[in-house]
Amino acid sequence: MNLKAYIPKSIKLRIKIIQRKRADRNIAFATFRTIESDFKYKITTEQEIKKGLFYENKIHNIKTAANKTERIIIQSGELFSFWKAVGIPNKKNNYKQGRNIVNGKVSAEIGGGLCQLSSIIYITSLKANLEIIERYNHSIDIYKEDERFTPLGADATVVYGYKDLRIKNKYSFPIRFSFTFVGTQIICHLESLENITEKRLDFIRDYRENCIDVTTTLDSNNHCISSYKTTE
């Protein structure tokens, strides 16, 4: 008998959060700080926010989370945590119902759509050659090519309490993320006090039976492999 199947989701989440807090006790996380420095250098990524189910709510959720993220200054050696930045995805924190994709299935959840924000932060961090401490790709590729908001292999799915996006500032100066919204476009900026040489990214696909492996390279050097089941 699988006893875990009978444990309520709320209890499972509470256990995961407690485990996270214990594991995080000695980690230096970036926090909300007053912006005083002149972040004059930028590395930028632009994406389209595709129209679909709960589109207006998705825009609202992304802008709400982006506003919170912009207040985080990441000092040298500190970790940026997506969930510590944007907070619990609930109504109390001003998030609305949106589209989520879990195990290849579309569902409606409070805070849905935030994966596009975490993904654009991830790909911008790769360009800046930041240290990726924690990142998960979606397990199933459900998109057609014209439906993608980011290249296959460049996604970073987040699930509160379970999957986070964590990035370390390995540079000797502070950095921050900022965002611009123009029409249906979201633009992510990695701002820094000193110049960071931007890396060239490539996402190389290897097709196997019912699976795609995507190798991410930075200036032709292998960085990681993301594996996806296919729906066909």
Side-chain angles (χ1 to χ4, degrees):
M1 179 181 294
N2 184 7
L3 295 179
K4 289 184 178 181
Y6 295 93
I7 301 175
K9 288 176 62 177
S10 59
I11 300 299
K12 291 180 181 178
L13 177 58
R14 191 177 304 173
I15 292 171
K16 285 291 183 181
I17 291 172
I18 292 172
Q19 291 173 337
R20 278 275 190 183
K21 286 183 177 180
R22 287 177 178 173
D24 290 346
R25 280 180 296 186
N26 297 319
I27 297 177
F29 288 100
T31 59
F32 297 105
R33 294 183 173 98
T34 302
I35 301 170
E36 298 176 346
S37 302
D38 180 17
F39 293 88
K40 60 181 179 179
Y41 297 98
K42 292 183 180 181
I43 289 177
T44 297
T45 304
E46 183 173 344
Q47 292 177 356
E48 180 183 0
I49 303 176
K50 301 282 188 177
K51 292 188 176 181
L53 190 65
F54 297 109
Y55 175 73
E56 296 298 331
N57 285 4
K58 179 179 181 180
I59 295 286
H60 170 86
N61 289 340
I62 289 176
K63 286 186 175 181
T64 299
N67 180 262
K68 295 173 183 287
T69 301
E70 288 183 325
R71 296 163 52 203
I72 300 287
I73 306 298
I74 313 167
Q75 299 288 351
S76 177
E78 288 185 339
L79 261 64
F80 167 85
S81 161
F82 182 83
W83 286 122
K84 288 184 181 296
V86 309
I88 302 171
N90 56 22
K91 291 182 179 179
K92 182 180 179 181
N93 284 332
N94 196 31
Y95 293 109
K96 297 182 178 181
Q97 189 176 58
R99 191 183 81 158
N100 262 3
I101 301 174
V102 180
N103 296 323
K105 297 181 180 180
V106 177
S107 63
E109 303 285 347
I110 301 296
L114 290 179
C115 282
Q116 179 152 9
L117 184 67
S118 58
S119 294
I120 200 170
I121 290 173
Y122 170 63
I123 195 170
T124 308
S125 300
L126 289 178
K127 290 180 179 179
N129 199 28
L130 298 176
E131 186 176 351
I132 309 301
I133 302 300
E134 181 179 349
R135 169 260 175 181
Y136 304 89
N137 59 275
H138 290 86
S139 58
I140 301 176
D141 178 30
I142 67 169
Y143 293 106
K144 297 178 181 178
E145 292 305 320
D146 61 348
E147 297 173 336
R148 301 189 191 282
F149 59 79
T150 196
L152 187 65
D155 56 314
T157 183
V158 285
V159 181
Y160 182 74
Y162 292 85
K163 296 180 179 180
D164 198 2
L165 174 65
R166 295 186 172 189
I167 300 161
K168 184 175 182 179
N169 178 10
K170 67 178 188 179
Y171 296 107
S172 60
F173 44 85
I175 58 176
R176 67 184 286 256
F177 295 102
S178 66
F179 305 89
T180 306
F181 295 87
V182 181
T184 61
Q185 303 294 310
I186 175 175
I187 305 167
C188 176
H189 312 279
L190 187 283
E191 301 183 4
S192 58
L193 290 183
E194 298 181 22
N195 186 52
I196 297 174
T197 301
E198 183 173 335
K199 295 290 185 179
R200 187 187 76 253
L201 302 186
D202 288 298
F203 301 94
I204 303 168
R205 300 184 188 183
D206 178 21
Y207 292 87
R208 299 186 288 113
E209 185 177 2
N210 301 321
C211 181
I212 306 173
D213 291 334
V214 182
T215 300
T216 300
T217 66
L218 308 183
D219 287 347
S220 299
N221 295 313
N222 289 359
H223 172 73
C224 68
I225 297 177
S226 305
S227 296
Y228 305 84
K229 295 179 181 177
T230 57
T231 57
E232 296 181 356

